[in-house]
Amino acid sequence: MTLIFMEGFDRSTNIDHYRLHSRNRISINTGVRRYGVGSLYGYSLMAQPIVARFDLVSNYTELVVGFAFCPISRTGGYIFDFLNSSLGKNVSFGVDSNGYARIYTPAGTYTSSFFVQLYAWHYVEIKARFHNTNGYFILRINGQQVLSQSNINTAASSGILSSRFISFISTVDYEEYYIDDLYVCSTSGTKNNDFLGDVRVAALFPTRNGTYNDFSVVGASSAFQAVN
């Protein structure tokens, strides 16, 4: 399995330093809150403003990310970054002041013909390899490829050909937007190593004990209640 993590932002009431996984964390400043209106499924994450950085723990030379994105306002900034271990920007996604999706790399800025509507949900997916000469990126929106480049510089530093973090940013460039249903995959292995498409991230909770039961029950009358 190469799925690094998935997150729907559906249940956390305090998202600051919210643990996504036993080894992956998200650190978000106090301007962020979950929001229940207009999200794809249940709650989404509202940026107003936001600097949300996910620590992937390991360094990856290639990554695939997908997330639902609903812009409320725009002034032509970038809202998503692949960052190296020194927090340098390898590949970034944003929307220009005319409303068109674009990708930034150290090799330059590339603008697509896809118009990103305000107050509408779009599923954004980006696949990228981080290299100073043989890098590439592919941008898909709503399941369709809208932009790609290969054999370019996608590494902020020639000495760090990988990404360690991803981040969502909202400053004066992008004042307000929602994100939901986030996934991150590496490209290794035989499963979950490419675009997953428009995914729904939902929490499933047990309603009874299953076939296999281990460990002693603590703080509940049955195993499933202790897990729930």
Side-chain angles (χ1 to χ4, degrees), residues 4-5 19-26 54-58 60 164:
I4 298 172
F5 60 75
R19 182 183 289 270
L20 291 173
H21 184 270
S22 60
R23 298 188 62 198
N24 296 299
R25 292 172 180 258
I26 175 174
F54 295 73
D55 184 348
L56 304 181
V57 177
S58 297
Y60 295 91
R164 174 64 179 257

Side-chain angles (χ1 to χ4, degrees), residues 10 14 33 41 67 71 74 101 109 121 126 151 160 164 204:
D10 292 328
N14 180 7
R33 63 181 185 273
Y41 305 102
F67 55 90
R74 66 167 163 259
T109 300
W121 283 99
I126 308 159
N151 298 318
I160 309 176
R164 174 64 179 257
L204 300 178

Side-chain angles (χ1 to χ4, degrees), residues 11-223:
R11 292 186 59 83
S12 176
T13 56
N14 180 7
I15 304 180
D16 285 357
H17 306 292
Y18 178 54
R19 182 183 289 270
L20 291 173
H21 184 270
S22 60
R23 298 188 62 198
N24 296 299
R25 292 172 180 258
I26 175 174
S27 297
I28 305 181
N29 67 13
T30 55
V32 181
R33 63 181 185 273
R34 66 175 186 165
Y35 202 73
V37 177
S39 61
L40 287 180
Y41 305 102
Y43 287 96
S44 61
L45 193 66
M46 182 179 185
Q48 193 188 35
I50 180 177
V51 178
R53 187 170 70 241
F54 295 73
D55 184 348
L56 304 181
V57 177
S58 297
N59 295 306
Y60 295 91
T61 57
E62 287 183 277
L63 286 172
V64 188
V65 66
F67 55 90
F69 171 56
C70 179
I72 305 303
S73 64
R74 66 167 163 259
T75 56
Y78 291 92
I79 64 100
F80 172 84
D81 300 315
F82 285 113
L83 303 172
N84 66 21
S85 56
S86 297
L87 303 182
K89 294 185 177 184
N90 290 331
V91 176
S92 302
F93 164 79
V95 182
D96 69 13
S97 58
N98 294 316
Y100 294 98
R102 61 180 178 172
I103 292 286
Y104 163 82
T105 74
T109 300
Y110 304 89
T111 303
S112 75
S113 60
F114 186 91
F115 182 77
V116 179
Q117 297 183 12
L118 294 177
Y119 300 97
W121 283 99
H122 310 275
Y123 204 79
V124 176
E125 295 177 284
I126 308 159
K127 181 179 181 181
R129 179 173 185 251
F130 315 108
H131 197 274
N132 55 358
T133 57
N134 296 320
Y136 76 87
F137 71 82
I138 300 171
L139 173 63
R140 300 204 324 177
I141 301 181
N142 300 333
Q144 301 296 317
Q145 181 173 312
V146 300
L147 193 62
S148 68
Q149 290 288 330
S150 59
N151 298 318
I152 60 171
N153 180 12
T154 56
S157 170
S158 60
I160 309 176
L161 306 181
S162 60
S163 284
R164 174 64 179 257
F165 304 94
I166 64 170
S167 68
F168 291 93
I169 301 172
S170 176
T171 58
V172 294
D173 290 334
Y174 235 105
E175 296 177 355
E176 199 170 82
Y177 63 88
Y178 305 102
I179 58 173
D180 206 347
D181 295 339
L182 166 69
Y183 76 80
V184 182
C185 296
S186 71
T187 57
S188 62
T190 59
K191 296 182 179 180
N192 298 322
N193 60 2
D194 208 337
F195 294 110
L196 300 184
D198 188 352
V199 296
R200 173 178 176 176
V201 181
L204 300 178
F205 299 94
T207 58
R208 61 180 177 82
N209 288 347
T211 303
Y212 304 101
N213 291 273
D214 293 308
F215 310 112
S216 299
V217 177
V218 177
S221 59
S222 64

